[in-house]
Amino acid sequence: MMNSQITLDYLLGLPKGDYKATIFLIHGWPDLSIGWRYQIPVLLGMGLRVVCPDIMGFGGTDAPQVPPEDISYYGYKRAAGDIKELARQLGASRIILGGHDWGGAIVYRVALWYPDFVTHLFAVCTPYWVPTKDSKPLEELVKTRLPNFTYQLQLASGEIEKHIQSKEEIKQFLNALYGGRGPNGEVGFIPEQGVLLENLPKLKPGRLLSEKELDYYADEYARNGMHGTINWYRNREVNHKEELSLEKTTIDIPVLFIQATRDGALPPPMSVNMDKSIPDLTRKEVETNHWALWEAPEQVNGIIKECAGVTGLQTALFLLEASYRVTIVAKHLPGDLDLDYASPWAGAHWRTHAARHEEEICGWDRETYEYWRRLIAKEGVGEQAGLKLYTSRYYWDEPTDEITNGASSLWWRDVVLDFAVIRPRDLPAGVHYGVTFTSFCINTPRYLKYLLNAFTDAGGTVLRRELSVDKGFSAALAAAEDVVSGEGGGGEAHAFVNATGLGARLLLGEDKMFPTRGQTVLVRGEAEVARTRVGTGYITYCIPRPGSGTTILGGTKEVGDWNGHVDEETTRSILSRAKVLAPELLNADGDFHFVGAQVGFRPSREGGPRVELEEIDGKSVVHSYGHSGAG
């Protein structure tokens, strides 16, 4: 890439067929664009166009000498602008970003300077440091909080440039950073000390790079010497001054952070407060040192692929927003009423049922809460989508494992707004324990229509079809592709998302799938507070449907029950139990204004939901079913 000032060298990878989105991968120090060599093939296999630039001062990219040039060439703002310009020249208006080391720091800043430009990002090893109004000298931070940054003082001092100049010296230097050791276990780099120059000649090559790869790195660094690469450690003051003009310092897009648990330069405690500034943060760990991309490529790649999507209509919408072409093939669509299409019958609110050890499911629930918070912050969207925040109260009639240690047992207490334990004297009669918090209630018919309209408005295609289950899943995929390529005009399908709910039972022969029958009652009036009360063998709840003038009362959770008929005795029981929960909805006679009763089947699965990637007949299939009442 060339503009009026610099030339930027980059690797470009194109997948087979049309690419679905563009991802930029940004390297750190001392690395190059080729540092992503183990990740590029995987991302190409996902249908992504991959762009890996050498950042300023590295490899084939220009390396302005400072002075006479300004150190801002090596600043975050400049790097963000260069990435955006390269994307423009490549015809990409929005991109996905990945970064490691300095690259991780850069991708966070790109999202700050150009928030509408980045759809998703991930960082390996590098935590997010929030820009602040006050800037402390690095020397002070090293003495007080960050002794692991001592090496940065050495780099900024000029000592390394003075001693590391020839290709052989560069090779020895890189070998030290990549874990080379001497005959008696000598090392060449310790974060709390820096580069141990006297040990460099003793070091044997480490295991991370082959001799050929190390030669390549040394050749690339010898192009312009060490000066440009080390200028990144001299730009703290410039970065701080430029970032004072940022409008906001929170990052609102989905972010994946992969922590290397044995990273000495960027140890895990440095990331403890990231959640405060990144609402939609997913954390993962790999048991490696700093060079996680090379030490555990399969694990890193697996994490990146695992965090690619969610379910159903919401999945389709997210994929569209990430520049994929998406077609929904479905038997049932918003507006349909069918026992096997559970969503229209639901009394829906946010209340996780994931146990603390179910980290992945906890992550989904956390992401949902934060996503809806961002959604309703947009003017008019909450009403349009049928989403509203309500005071919510949850009561336990007896001790359970979930509240063994009271509120401290509830992992989600820090996720929701306004969490508090209800004082014993304020609990309804017969209740053992209760909590209050602010959470979402959802008008499910309206929310489904909102998702469908958003999907079609963004260019998605919807085809109502029922796929045959008689010939197996492979045949069903082929039939779906025929429908999409023919009537949908979508061409060859590169991937499928299988969000078939109970349909997976027949479609895949999934014998772990079973219905959990739910019977609910719809009454007139919107409850002022969402309330749930649980005990042995029963659950009672009242959940308002925002904007509908109605409330859902429930309910039942009948495992394996295929009875689709409304049971009148169950209806009477629900109405009786719910009176104490929603007294504001009772008429002068002390009764609810009954609208109707209904039955739906939650798509449940032994062992919990199945969310995983599978290759079938050369096609990528992401399964996402079995979520029961948490879909």
Side-chain angles (χ1 to χ4, degrees):
M1 180 198 84
M2 293 189 295
N3 59 28
S4 59
Q5 295 178 306
I6 66 145
T7 297
L8 189 72
D9 201 39
Y10 64 94
L11 302 177
L12 177 65
L14 297 174
K16 295 180 180 178
D18 296 335
Y19 61 86
K20 301 305 180 184
T22 298
I23 184 168
F24 273 55
L25 302 176
I26 313 301
H27 71 85
W29 181 93
D31 203 355
L32 297 164
S33 54
I34 199 65
W36 294 96
R37 57 193 174 277
Y38 296 117
Q39 286 68 49
I40 292 172
V42 173
L43 295 167
L44 291 175
M46 295 170 64
L48 299 176
R49 178 173 64 160
V50 182
V51 182
C52 301
D54 286 331
I55 62 175
M56 193 75 73
F58 291 77
T61 292
D62 285 351
Q65 185 76 21
V66 180
E69 301 295 345
D70 194 87
I71 192 64
S72 63
Y73 272 99
Y74 298 89
Y76 291 141
K77 185 177 182 181
R78 173 60 192 243
D82 288 343
I83 290 169
K84 193 171 191 299
E85 171 60 19
L86 176 55
R88 185 195 68 79
Q89 293 190 22
L90 292 173
S93 59
R94 301 183 78 195
I95 65 170
I96 305 166
L97 271 174
H100 172 249
D101 191 82
W102 274 116
I106 290 170
V107 299
Y108 293 127
R109 264 48 187 184
V110 178
L112 292 179
W113 286 111
Y114 304 104
D116 295 330
F117 171 55
V118 185
T119 64
H120 304 73
L121 71 81
F122 71 89
V124 183
C125 297
T126 316
Y128 174 53
W129 304 299
V130 182
T132 60
K133 292 183 179 180
D134 299 321
S135 178
K136 294 183 178 180
L138 182 58
E139 291 82 358
E140 181 179 343
L141 292 176
V142 166
K143 290 180 180 178
T144 57
R145 293 193 293 117
L146 297 173
N148 49 297
F149 276 9
T150 302
Y151 74 95
Q152 296 190 11
L153 293 175
Q154 182 196 36
L155 295 177
S157 71
E159 180 184 6
I160 297 301
E161 291 153 274
K162 179 180 178 181
H163 289 89
I164 308 298
Q165 296 184 357
S166 69
K167 177 184 174 180
E168 185 57 31
E169 289 169 338
I170 291 174
K171 192 172 179 180
Q172 291 176 349
F173 169 81
L174 293 174
N175 188 39
L177 271 295
Y178 299 151
R181 289 182 176 270
N184 298 313
E186 299 95 336
V187 297
F189 174 75
I190 300 174
E192 292 78 9
Q193 298 180 41
V195 179
L196 308 180
L197 295 169
E198 67 278 10
N199 283 352
L200 298 191
K202 307 175 186 177
L203 304 182
K204 296 180 180 179
R207 60 180 178 82
L208 293 179
L209 270 68
S210 68
E211 186 67 24
K212 184 177 180 180
E213 289 170 334
L214 186 57
D215 274 337
Y216 175 80
Y217 270 76
D219 285 336
E220 291 297 293
Y221 272 73
R223 287 190 188 214
N224 297 300
M226 300 300 297
H227 174 78
T229 71
I230 291 175
N231 278 334
W232 287 89
Y233 294 93
R234 299 174 173 132
N235 58 13
R236 282 179 54 82
E237 185 177 350
V238 167
N239 285 333
H240 174 254
K241 289 180 179 179
E242 291 180 338
E243 288 171 357
L244 290 175
S245 64
L246 284 169
E247 294 184 4
K248 60 185 300 186
T249 58
T250 57
I251 298 176
D252 295 329
I253 60 172
V255 173
L256 167 64
F257 173 58
I258 304 176
Q259 175 76 67
T261 58
R262 301 196 303 270
D263 192 336
L266 299 170
M270 294 185 68
S271 72
V272 292
N273 293 318
M274 285 179 62
D275 309 69
K276 296 180 180 179
S277 302
I278 305 177
D280 197 353
L281 176 67
T282 298
R283 290 176 175 270
K284 298 290 182 179
E285 290 185 350
V286 288
E287 294 289 333
T288 71
N289 295 302
H290 184 69
W291 300 104
L293 300 179
W294 309 342
E295 292 181 63
E298 292 184 0
Q299 191 176 357
V300 171
N301 295 344
I303 291 172
I304 294 171
K305 293 172 71 174
E306 171 193 334
C307 296
V310 281
T311 184
L313 276 171
Q314 190 70 72
T315 300
L317 183 56
F318 284 162
L319 289 170
L320 270 180
E321 291 172 347
S323 302
Y324 288 86
R325 287 186 299 164
V326 185
T327 300
I328 294 174
V329 181
K331 176 182 178 181
H332 299 298
L333 293 171
D336 290 2
L337 298 176
D338 190 278
L339 291 172
D340 293 328
Y341 187 43
S343 294
W345 310 111
H349 67 148
W350 189 99
R351 171 23 177 134
T352 181
H353 292 283
R356 185 185 297 273
H357 69 274
E358 296 174 309
E359 294 182 3
E360 186 176 33
I361 302 177
C362 293
W364 300 338
D365 291 348
R366 181 184 297 108
E367 290 169 15
T368 299
Y369 192 92
E370 297 300 338
Y371 174 76
W372 281 341
R373 282 188 64 186
R374 295 195 304 273
L375 195 62
I376 67 170
K378 301 175 182 178
E379 185 176 357
V381 172
E383 181 179 357
Q384 181 185 359
L387 287 167
K388 186 178 178 180
L389 283 168
Y390 283 80
T391 297
S392 300
R393 293 177 187 149
Y394 203 93
Y395 303 119
W396 290 264
D397 280 1
E398 53 207 15
T400 69
D401 290 342
E402 187 176 30
I403 52 170
T404 300
N405 297 312
S408 63
S409 298
L410 302 173
W411 69 265
W412 47 272
R413 67 188 186 280
D414 296 325
V415 174
V416 297
L417 300 170
D418 308 317
F419 180 90
V421 176
I422 301 173
R423 295 177 298 184
R425 68 171 181 258
D426 296 328
L427 294 172
V431 171
H432 166 72
Y433 191 78
V435 298
T436 181
F437 54 98
T438 298
S439 191
F440 289 92
C441 292
I442 306 98
N443 181 338
T444 45
R446 183 178 295 182
Y447 186 58
L448 288 168
K449 289 182 179 179
Y450 164 79
L451 289 177
L452 186 62
N453 290 337
F455 175 73
T456 55
D457 289 347
T461 302
V462 179
L463 299 174
R464 184 190 289 271
R465 293 291 183 275
E466 182 175 359
L467 299 178
S468 171
V469 299
D470 298 336
K471 298 179 181 179
F473 190 49
S474 293
L477 292 180
E481 186 166 12
D482 289 342
V483 170
V484 171
S485 60
E487 300 173 52
E492 180 185 0
H494 293 274
F496 297 87
V497 177
N498 171 29
T500 52
L502 278 173
R505 181 172 168 268
L506 297 176
L507 194 60
L508 286 87
E510 172 68 275
D511 58 5
K512 294 183 179 180
M513 289 296 298
F514 61 89
T516 298
R517 181 182 182 274
Q519 182 168 324
T520 58
V521 177
L522 188 68
V523 297
R524 185 170 296 175
E526 292 184 27
E528 299 169 359
V529 176
R531 305 174 181 94
T532 303
R533 183 170 176 173
V534 295
T536 301
Y538 65 88
I539 179 171
T540 307
Y541 51 81
C542 70
I543 302 174
R545 279 188 164 179
S548 71
T550 62
T551 293
I552 288 284
L553 305 179
T556 66
K557 292 185 177 181
E558 300 164 274
V559 174
D561 191 336
W562 288 98
N563 177 18
H565 300 290
V566 171
D567 180 80
E568 297 301 332
E569 179 56 36
T570 300
T571 298
R572 286 191 290 270
S573 175
I574 291 172
L575 290 170
S576 175
R577 287 184 280 125
K579 287 183 178 181
V580 70
L581 291 185
E584 68 269 28
L585 300 182
L586 300 178
N587 58 27
D589 296 326
D591 294 320
F592 292 105
H593 188 117
F594 178 82
V595 177
Q598 51 273 322
V599 171
F601 297 137
R602 303 175 182 93
S604 304
R605 182 174 181 271
E606 294 177 20
R610 183 187 184 193
V611 180
E612 62 182 358
L613 177 68
E614 183 180 14
E615 295 294 324
I616 299 178
D617 299 332
K619 299 289 186 180
S620 295
V621 179
V622 178
H623 297 289
S624 185
Y625 60 83
H627 294 275
S628 194

